[in-house]
Amino acid sequence: MQDNIIDRRSFFKLGLLGGSVVAASTLGGGAVLKAAELTDSPKSLQTKSNKIRGRIFFQTQTEFDTLSAACERIYPKDNQGEGAIGLGVPYFIDNQLASAYGYNDREYMQGPFMDGKEEQGYQTPMKRKDIFLEGVHALETNAKKRYKKSFSSLKGKEQDEILRDFEKGKIQTIGFKSSYFFTLLREMTIAGVLADPIYGGNDNKNGWRMMQYPGAQMSYIDKIASDEFFDIEPVGLADMED
Amino acid sequence: MAEILKKVDVVTVGAGWTGGIIAAELTKAGLNVLSLERGHMQSTENFNFIHDEWRYGINYGLMQDCSKDTVTFRNDLKELALPYRKMGSFLLGNNVGGAGVHWNGWTFRFMPYDFEIKSRSFKRYGNKLGDDYTLQDWGLTYKDMEPYYDKFEKTCGISGEPNPLAEKMGSFRSSPYPQKPLENTKILKRFESTAKEMNLHPFRLPAANSRSGYTNPDGQELAPCEYCAFCERYGCEYGAKASPITTVIPKAMSTGKYTIRTYSNATQILKKDGKVTGVKFVDTRTMKEYIQPADIVVLTSYVFNNAKLLMVSEIGSQYDPKTGKGTLGKNYCYQMNMGTTAFFEEQFNTFMGSGALGTTCDDFIGDNFDHSREKFLHGAMIYSVQSGNRPIQSAPVPQGTPSWGAEFKKALNYNFTRNIFIGGQGASLPHKNNYLSLDPTYKDAFGMPLLRLTYNFTDQDRALHKFITDKTAQIAKRMKGVKSIKKGSYLKNYSIVPYQTTHNTGGTTMGANPEMSVVNTYLQHWDADNLFVVGAGNFQHNSGYNPTDTVGALAYRCAEGILKYHKSGKILA
Ligand SMILES: Cc1cc2nc3c(=O)[nH]c(=O)nc-3n(C[C@H](O)[C@H](O)[C@H](O)COP(=O)(O)OP(=O)(O)OC[C@H]3O[C@@H](n4cnc5c(N)ncnc54)[C@H](O)[C@@H]3O)c2cc1C
Ligand code: SF4
């Protein structure tokens, strides 16, 4: 039998799908049990910080510092808690750029490439890893030109001014619009704050905690009909690994 | 040379809702069915770690791989179409179960008006929209459709309650919803009481998320919904959401007469002397070509691919917007989404929910109100749904908040649990310039042309959108405790970039005669009587409701037609 031919024998042998009454009900039951266990998971699990991380895309320290400073302006540290840097967002972005996201792996990347209307979406042959690299370089070049300093050593206000010009598409870049880079930077910063901590950002689930988002909870069946507001300690996917 | 495989009774292209329903019904009746599916096998077990917004919600973990196939898009005939390089506006299904695995489960019947839209609105208002709008009756009525709706709803175990306007709309039901509505919540109750104060007629949204444990007529079981809030764009780890992989596909498998061939991408329908003979496909693991011969071929590969396969196989006549001739690709429609977000000081459990946990009203949809003074026909449902906000995708901030920086951070965090969205989903009516055809330039990974989408919103759409947006703002403003509202902007050009809805329709329309449609009312192709084409592509226009109840009902009707055809060998209608 070829392993892509799914017929009755292989279907039930592999235990695929809740094909029988028994399979469906035990599955449901098992998952409910797991939800209850998770709610009671020890506090130590929930305060574990994401210490093991490293750069796997950006090669120079300056690139990484520029990226970090830009992210921090988008989601800054304040009296509520950490900003992008404290939450590990630059590592999140760095790691994503080295993976499917950076390589536009599941996107149509065949030519010909032509400038289209905004309504038609991006049309650049450049992969996101290269747009980020060039975008970060452009931030740095711009800082040097305006203030004779590195982007990361500028005052917040000065950094904002440069970022705003990127946002408005005012900066010359080749192969992509500076506004497109800014959109990616903004989206990725927010994603790094709010994605599950397994991706290297949202350190210690603090991005979630600040907005009172409880994360990957298994079930709310016992709470859904209540008028009370529930402030629930967040759970991440790593907490569910045995 | 393509290798020729052993002939089967029926081959379907795709194994989603439509493919699964066809497979279940025909195998129960003793036919051998084989489905070609380009994706991989998946089951409830695949979804144990599904609560991952980044992987599934934002990066579309379960959807079509656009590096292999996508569409091209332009707003109008004069423009150059360019590839939809990354999914945005709509999300196409992949893998066994198709988009039915990651749907929300809103399960609405279309109304009697929908099936006879042309004759009914011409009777009441004359040709109000003019000839550029290519309105068509569907060739059957609500009464014809009712038994099939009933069947699909029982397969899914829909949780719902009667619509207070049903009688006015002429939408009778032969039996009540199989299950009670889902639990009610503070958010939904707030919407309901405001709507009632405004003399609207709210009712609980019919949901394919099972309220309780449920066994369907095929003996398949659904577990109770846990309100886990990772529903649309995600598979259900509990087997609580009715989907092809929890219902019709395991049923078909249990007969011993069904086979799914995964990693098999169909590229052409083969034909000879007015009949089709089988399907050519590529095994995507080896790129080797095969031919699967069959007595009957059923296209169940969603709106876009069904149309594309007919076009590349040169079956039927391509629609030409300049002459108005041809039917294939005609009457492509989308939907308009509108709404207003209301912000509060009080907190709500916005992060809990279920795909179709909601309350809705039908006061401004179809012909339920007088359109004499409006510049549009049809309308929209107006709803509030608590599908569970996830923070990257849906964390609204009040009007005037900057989109980044300190103030943004503050607003993002404060408002995540303090908002309610009042939405509308508007009917999209066909226009002569909105259609599907083959792209002259861009090709998929198998060397076939990409499908080209030519689409823009029309004046009709804009007028309807504004009317309903204003209504949602009126409701939002009146909700108890509301602090501020953020009204969505009015409709501009259609853009393929932001997500709107995966309710694409038309292109392979159904009808009473070959001049106006691609298939007859049993979804049998007018030009090849052993070829059937099933899906929302059959719709002559799109309603303000979600499509799948009607798609499922049509698939059951098609299965009945195929069995009749298998016996008689004749064209059915
Ligand atoms: C996020 C989301 C939410 C939704 N929510 C709702 C909702 O609440 N209510 C509602 O009514 N509808 C909803 N829908 C729409 C609903 O999912 C579809 O109407 C329904 O699944 C369509 O079923 P189908 O069988 O026609 O197509 P699909 O489910 O798309 O199945 C087609 C199958 O064919 C396969 N295929 C395609 N091309 C080929 C090829 N060349 N060769 C081999 N196989 C191929 C695909 O991989 C797929 O598995 C939603 C859709 C999405 C994406
Ligand atoms: S909300 Fe309910 S139906 Fe949807 S995935 Fe969660 S448990 Fe399943």
Side-chain angles (χ1 to χ4, degrees):
Chain A
M1 190 199 78
Q2 286 186 32
D3 61 5
N4 70 322
I5 309 291
I6 295 134
D7 55 15
R8 185 175 196 278
R9 252 188 32 235
S10 57
F11 185 83
F12 289 111
K13 196 169 72 198
L14 293 168
L16 293 173
L17 312 190
S20 67
V21 172
V22 183
S25 46
T26 45
L27 237 174
V32 176
L33 201 78
K34 197 157 180 199
E37 284 165 5
L38 277 168
T39 322
D40 295 336
S41 62
K43 271 274 177 294
S44 65
L45 251 184
Q46 296 164 0
T47 51
K48 195 170 59 185
S49 170
N50 193 357
K51 284 287 187 288
I52 305 169
R53 59 187 170 204
R55 263 164 32 207
I56 53 179
F57 175 74
F58 284 105
Q59 293 167 314
T60 78
Q61 191 61 38
T62 313
E63 288 163 355
F64 195 66
D65 290 346
T66 308
L67 173 78
S68 304
C71 294
E72 184 71 13
R73 292 314 296 164
I74 290 169
Y75 192 91
K77 183 173 174 163
D78 63 5
N79 58 11
Q80 289 181 70
E82 291 298 347
I85 293 176
L87 293 170
V89 171
Y91 287 98
F92 167 85
I93 297 179
D94 174 272
N95 292 185
Q96 286 297 315
L97 291 175
S99 67
Y101 170 86
Y103 285 79
N104 301 44
D105 198 39
R106 294 173 69 233
E107 289 157 38
Y108 190 81
M109 295 300 281
Q110 295 180 44
F113 290 91
M114 274 167 271
D115 270 347
K117 298 202 306 184
E118 214 166 288
E119 287 86 341
Q120 293 174 301
Y122 75 83
Q123 296 294 334
T124 169
M126 289 180 74
K127 293 187 172 164
R128 284 192 207 90
K129 68 181 175 68
D130 297 319
I131 294 178
F132 262 90
L133 201 59
E134 292 307 312
V136 163
H137 289 169
L139 282 174
E140 180 68 2
T141 316
N142 219 269
K144 288 262 172 66
K145 210 163 81 190
R146 285 191 210 195
Y147 301 102
K148 312 240 171 331
K149 275 191 201 161
S150 249
F151 184 84
S152 59
S153 54
L154 296 182
K155 294 197 189 79
K157 264 196 178 154
E158 295 164 343
Q159 291 171 333
D160 287 356
E161 217 172 88
I162 295 176
L163 286 169
R164 240 176 264 122
D165 284 348
F166 271 76
E167 187 179 21
K168 289 187 196 133
K170 281 190 184 167
I171 307 296
Q172 278 296 320
T173 36
I174 298 174
F176 63 99
K177 294 192 184 99
S178 69
S179 54
Y180 182 57
F181 166 64
F182 183 84
T183 305
L184 292 180
L185 180 69
R186 178 187 175 273
E187 277 174 14
M188 287 305 278
T189 303
I190 295 169
V193 171
L194 298 174
D196 193 281
I198 55 171
Y199 295 102
N202 188 9
D203 189 37
N204 195 20
K205 293 163 264 180
N206 282 334
W208 286 346
R209 220 170 255 120
M210 281 184 258
M211 68 201 300
Q212 291 174 290
Y213 176 65
Q217 301 291 328
M218 293 299 285
S219 170
Y220 296 110
I221 197 165
D222 55 337
K223 303 186 179 69
I224 188 76
S226 169
D227 283 351
E228 186 193 333
F229 176 74
F230 292 92
D231 191 359
I232 305 165
E233 178 59 24
V235 164
L237 289 169
D239 303 332
M240 298 181 185
E241 297 277 358
D242 291 330
Chain B
M1 271 300 283
E3 184 182 329
I4 300 172
L5 301 168
K6 204 171 135 241
K7 189 170 171 182
V8 292
D9 294 331
V10 180
V11 62
T12 84
V13 179
W17 266 128
T18 53
I21 290 171
I22 299 292
E25 292 307 290
L26 302 189
T27 52
K28 279 193 265 175
L31 273 61
N32 281 304
V33 180
L34 179 135
S35 290
L36 300 170
E37 169 55 53
R38 65 182 172 191
H40 60 68
M41 189 58 194
Q42 58 185 353
S43 72
T44 298
E45 203 189 343
N46 287 59
F47 307 136
N48 282 346
F49 279 78
I50 198 83
H51 291 192
D52 182 343
E53 185 182 16
W54 180 241
R55 176 173 177 184
Y56 296 104
I58 306 297
N59 291 305
Y60 312 136
L62 299 178
M63 282 99 176
Q64 174 168 309
D65 180 348
C66 293
S67 74
K68 301 250 159 32
D69 192 13
T70 184
V71 299
T72 65
F73 160 68
R74 57 180 182 174
N75 274 134
D76 66 58
L77 277 78
K78 294 189 292 288
E79 286 173 14
L80 181 69
L82 295 175
Y84 181 44
R85 296 190 178 274
K86 177 189 191 224
M87 266 186 286
S89 178
F90 42 80
L91 306 172
L92 305 171
N94 206 15
N95 306 325
V96 172
V101 168
H102 51 74
W103 71 321
N104 288 57
W106 302 23
T107 313
F108 284 97
R109 297 178 175 196
F110 282 14
M111 49 180 79
Y113 172 75
D114 280 308
F115 298 102
E116 300 164 90
I117 189 165
K118 183 173 185 182
S119 37
R120 287 190 186 215
S121 44
F122 272 49
K123 195 166 152 208
R124 191 164 173 193
Y125 309 106
N127 187 5
K128 182 187 177 92
L129 300 178
D131 290 337
D132 286 355
Y133 292 84
T134 46
L135 284 182
Q136 273 311 313
D137 291 349
W138 294 35
L140 43 59
T141 64
Y142 178 83
K143 194 163 162 243
D144 299 322
M145 286 290 285
E146 206 284 336
Y148 308 109
Y149 275 132
D150 188 63
K151 197 155 182 186
F152 183 64
E153 288 166 6
K154 284 182 174 142
T155 295
C156 292
I158 302 304
S159 307
E161 71 176 6
N163 177 352
L165 294 179
E167 210 181 302
K168 182 175 171 189
M169 292 154 60
S171 305
F172 68 94
R173 301 183 58 89
S174 55
S175 55
Y177 282 110
Q179 299 196 61
K180 287 195 301 183
L182 294 172
E183 296 275 11
N184 211 347
T185 72
K186 184 177 169 187
I187 290 177
L188 301 180
K189 285 186 261 179
R190 188 68 54 94
F191 169 70
E192 182 189 337
S193 60
T194 316
K196 278 192 174 147
E197 274 171 38
M198 297 173 74
N199 296 318
L200 301 176
H201 297 80
F203 66 104
R204 301 302 308 287
L205 195 147
N209 324 97
S210 182
R211 162 72 192 235
S212 316
Y214 174 79
T215 307
N216 80 8
D218 283 332
Q220 300 301 314
E221 257 208 6
L222 296 171
C225 171
E226 300 285 335
Y227 304 90
C228 78
F230 284 81
C231 207
E232 106 277 2
R233 302 191 182 186
Y234 305 81
C236 178
E237 75 270 46
Y238 299 97
K241 176 160 62 174
S243 93
I245 62 169
T246 53
T247 59
V248 287
I249 289 175
K251 178 62 202 176
M253 281 297 169
S254 74
T255 65
K257 301 210 160 265
Y258 185 42
T259 310
I260 302 176
R261 192 174 175 123
T262 50
Y263 301 107
S264 302
N265 193 95
T267 52
Q268 199 187 339
I269 309 154
L270 303 167
K271 57 178 178 176
K272 205 178 164 195
D273 308 329
K275 297 238 188 242
V276 294
T277 57
V279 180
K280 195 195 257 184
F281 69 93
V282 176
D283 186 319
T284 60
R285 300 169 305 174
T286 58
M287 293 304 272
K288 190 170 151 46
E289 263 188 351
Y290 293 87
I291 288 169
Q292 177 60 60
D295 287 333
I296 295 169
V297 174
V298 193
L299 301 188
T300 57
S301 59
Y302 196 63
V303 175
F304 294 116
N305 204 63
N306 283 354
K308 169 169 160 170
L309 276 174
L310 292 173
M311 289 174 193
V312 297
S313 314
E314 296 178 351
I315 299 173
S317 59
Q318 172 66 44
Y319 169 69
D320 178 354
K322 295 202 178 101
T323 61
K325 295 216 171 74
T327 52
L328 180 57
K330 193 181 174 184
N331 280 17
Y332 171 81
C333 289
Y334 196 47
Q335 263 175 345
M336 293 82 71
N337 282 274
M338 57 291 265
T340 302
T341 309
F343 293 91
F344 299 80
E345 253 157 64
E346 162 186 14
Q347 290 187 290
F348 301 94
N349 297 311
T350 50
F351 46 81
M352 305 178 184
S354 175
L357 176 64
T359 297
T360 184
C361 25
D362 277 348
D363 298 81
F364 297 105
I365 195 168
D367 208 16
N368 290 353
F369 61 107
D370 185 2
H371 289 68
S372 305
R373 292 197 310 201
E374 310 302 337
K375 292 201 175 79
F376 61 90
L377 291 174
H378 218 307
M381 55 186 275
I382 296 181
Y383 64 83
S384 189
V385 161
Q386 189 177 347
S387 57
N389 285 357
R390 293 169 304 269
I392 307 175
Q393 199 193 324
S394 41
V397 291
Q399 190 86 44
T401 310
S403 63
W404 53 280
E407 238 183 283
F408 163 74
K409 176 181 177 183
K410 222 166 128 189
L412 177 82
N413 289 333
Y414 183 79
N415 290 292
F416 181 65
T417 53
R418 292 179 170 87
N419 69 82
I420 299 181
F421 181 70
I422 310 298
Q425 182 171 260
S428 164
L429 302 187
H431 188 274
K432 65 173 183 148
N433 290 342
N434 290 336
Y435 73 110
L436 305 173
S437 56
L438 291 179
D439 190 272
T441 309
Y442 294 97
K443 301 236 178 332
D444 69 17
F446 312 98
M448 314 304 286
L450 296 188
L451 191 73
R452 177 174 65 183
L453 167 60
T454 306
Y455 185 76
N456 208 349
F457 294 127
T458 61
D459 292 343
Q460 138 83 27
D461 298 337
R462 290 176 218 274
L464 188 163
H465 185 275
K466 180 171 186 304
F467 179 88
I468 302 289
T469 304
D470 293 347
K471 296 268 180 241
T472 61
Q474 284 162 17
I475 299 171
K477 242 185 254 167
R478 279 188 66 149
M479 288 209 284
K480 195 176 115 244
V482 67
K483 218 173 82 186
S484 71
I485 66 160
K486 183 157 108 187
K487 188 164 136 175
S489 51
Y490 296 139
L491 215 52
K492 299 192 189 79
N493 274 350
Y494 169 66
S495 164
I496 203 157
V497 181
Y499 184 74
Q500 287 150 74
T501 171
T502 312
H503 302 162
N504 318 73
T505 66
T508 58
T509 54
M510 62 187 283
N513 65 64
E515 283 71 50
M516 296 323 305
S517 60
V518 172
V519 293
N520 67 25
T521 62
Y522 283 97
L523 299 330
Q524 181 179 34
H525 202 285
W526 289 114
D527 296 351
D529 58 24
N530 63 338
L531 172 64
F532 293 77
V533 185
V534 202
N538 300 137
F539 299 3
Q540 285 284 5
H541 71 277
N542 203 354
S543 187
Y545 298 122
N546 308 57
T548 308
D549 205 358
T550 305
V551 168
L554 287 174
Y556 277 111
R557 182 173 164 89
C558 179
E560 193 183 291
I562 293 172
L563 289 173
K564 271 194 211 163
Y565 172 77
H566 187 68
K567 282 210 186 86
S568 74
K570 293 206 188 89
I571 190 103
L572 293 159

